[in-house]
Amino acid sequence: MSAPLLDLDHVVKHYALPREGLWAAPRRVMALAGVSLSVSAGRSLGLVGESGSGKSTLARIGMGLEAPSSGLARFEGQELASLSAEGLKRLRRDFQMVFQDPYGSLDPRRTVGWIVAEPLWRQSLGRSERQAAVAEVLGSVGLRSADAGKYPHEFSGGQRQRIAIARALITKPRLIVADEPVSALDVSVQAQVLNLLEDLQRDFGITYLLISHDLAVVDHVCDLVAVMYRGRIVEEGSPTDLFQGPAHPYTRALIAAMPKPIPGRRRALRKAVNGNGTAPSGSERGCPYADRCPHARERCRSEAPPLREVDGGRRAACHFAEEVMVLPSPA
């Protein structure tokens, strides 16, 4: 396996909450609780989990937009938090981000050409060179060069997301972090954008860190999937392994909650995904999923399970992962 482009080493991130009283000490919420993962060049990693699990916080730290409370975030061996503002700007041409909302991420007062060319401003390029680069990247995402003179409101949601992807591609980055890039789109448009991401990876060798709450989305694009719950990675492996034999009860619940047109299944799905998935304060003992897990035992409530290898390179943070893996598939 090639060296990692992005490497996170025991990253912890906590935020202070507003004081509940004049003399009360501020409480803290733990968004990330010691996350370690790496994204290798030429491969794609999908981050999956429900809202509040820490996926977007991890992405912001991986992009250098926030500093971790502890732990290290490195891009090609360079620690992001230790770089100067100027050094971070220079490095950012190698990693770009695509945001969830194609409506809110584009400036409605600017033309598409201006929006897409914005990351090039720090480079010594003439106007004609910038225009040529914009036309080339718009063509690579299935838009016309004439679209550069239009405004975002003249495009559909799927086309706006293509514009956002073009803006991320303009600097020819090695890594693209895509935070829920298709969740705001219609199902048919989702397929178009996901196919576009695959084509761009094949043509340009781009590496993706794809964030989603939908296992089916990451299965379409990613080589490796990491499942997050309450600021922790609870399972990591290939999409095939996770779908056919998940090793963590939370992964089983996510798969079971995927919409399926099966009569009589609705009540079972509610039972599988109920409970509180908000971020912990950091003081909890035991497994963070124990209060929702149908397989929890006394050990789960008193001892936090480490993220360990359970089968052929797959990892899971469950004391009884081997037992969970042999249960009937939830798909």
Side-chain angles (χ1 to χ4, degrees):
M1 185 179 296
S2 56
L5 279 180
L6 180 64
D7 182 32
L8 303 180
D9 185 11
H10 293 91
V11 170
V12 173
K13 182 64 177 180
H14 53 73
Y15 298 97
L17 298 176
R19 294 176 182 267
E20 297 179 354
L22 182 61
W23 308 110
R27 296 174 56 225
R28 297 190 309 172
V29 60
M30 187 77 71
L32 296 175
V35 173
S36 296
L37 61 80
S38 61
V39 185
S40 299
R43 306 192 72 193
S44 296
L45 173 66
L47 277 180
V48 178
E50 61 196 69
S51 297
S53 59
K55 306 184 302 297
S56 295
T57 300
L58 187 148
R60 290 195 297 270
I61 290 175
M63 291 290 295
L65 299 176
E66 293 189 29
S69 301
S70 64
L72 300 175
R74 307 183 188 92
F75 184 83
E76 290 194 311
Q78 300 184 67
E79 185 183 348
L80 298 179
S82 67
L83 293 174
S84 65
E86 187 64 28
L88 189 56
K89 286 180 180 179
R90 287 196 299 267
L91 190 63
R92 278 212 177 109
R93 66 172 298 164
D94 287 328
F95 54 93
Q96 295 289 329
M97 193 163 188
V98 176
F99 295 94
Q100 174 179 0
D101 183 8
Y103 299 90
S105 62
L106 305 178
D107 190 340
R109 299 168 297 177
R110 299 291 187 176
T111 65
V112 167
W114 190 97
I115 292 170
V116 173
E118 184 179 6
L120 296 177
W121 287 355
R122 297 186 60 82
Q123 301 183 26
S124 300
L125 297 177
R127 181 177 180 181
S128 60
E129 292 175 301
R130 287 198 302 270
Q131 290 176 338
V134 168
E136 179 184 1
V137 76
L138 287 177
S140 69
V141 298
L143 297 174
R144 301 174 302 163
S145 58
D147 292 331
K150 298 181 179 179
Y151 289 84
H153 72 269
E154 301 180 65
F155 297 89
S156 67
Q159 289 173 320
R160 293 186 197 191
Q161 196 62 292
R162 289 173 182 263
I163 295 169
I165 293 171
R167 179 174 58 185
L169 287 173
I170 193 71
T171 61
K172 299 180 180 179
R174 302 182 62 190
L175 171 69
I176 288 181
V177 177
D179 189 358
E180 301 276 11
V182 297
S183 63
L185 305 177
D186 294 337
V187 174
S188 60
V189 181
Q190 287 184 15
Q192 297 174 16
V193 174
L194 292 175
N195 289 333
L196 172 63
L197 293 177
E198 280 193 315
D199 294 341
L200 294 173
Q201 184 178 49
R202 182 189 64 242
D203 296 339
F204 301 105
I206 298 171
T207 301
Y208 293 119
L209 175 58
L210 179 64
I211 298 170
S212 179
H213 62 272
D214 189 341
L215 277 170
V217 169
V218 297
D219 180 45
H220 191 82
V221 177
C222 298
D223 307 299
L224 189 68
V225 178
V227 181
M228 291 192 68
Y229 179 73
R230 298 183 73 176
R232 298 168 173 85
I233 293 179
V234 297
E235 185 166 0
E236 183 180 276
S238 71
T240 301
D241 288 340
L242 265 63
F243 271 104
Q244 294 183 352
H248 196 281
Y250 178 62
T251 310
R252 294 183 62 85
L254 286 181
I255 296 173
M258 293 174 60
K260 303 177 186 70
I262 303 175
R265 191 71 179 274
R266 189 170 185 175
R267 183 173 298 178
L269 295 187
R270 286 180 177 173
K271 184 177 180 180
V273 298
N274 65 0
N276 179 15
T278 57
S281 64
S283 60
E284 289 80 358
R285 296 176 57 192
C287 176
Y289 192 63
D291 59 342
R292 299 171 67 181
C293 181
H295 311 286
R297 306 175 192 176
E298 186 58 35
R299 180 185 179 188
C300 302
R301 306 183 190 283
S302 60
E303 180 185 344
L307 187 63
R308 59 187 178 88
E309 185 171 326
V310 294
D311 177 39
R314 182 161 39 144
R315 300 193 298 166
C318 179
H319 293 305
F320 309 104
E322 289 78 7
E323 299 178 19
V324 175
M325 289 170 57
V326 300
L327 295 174
S329 174

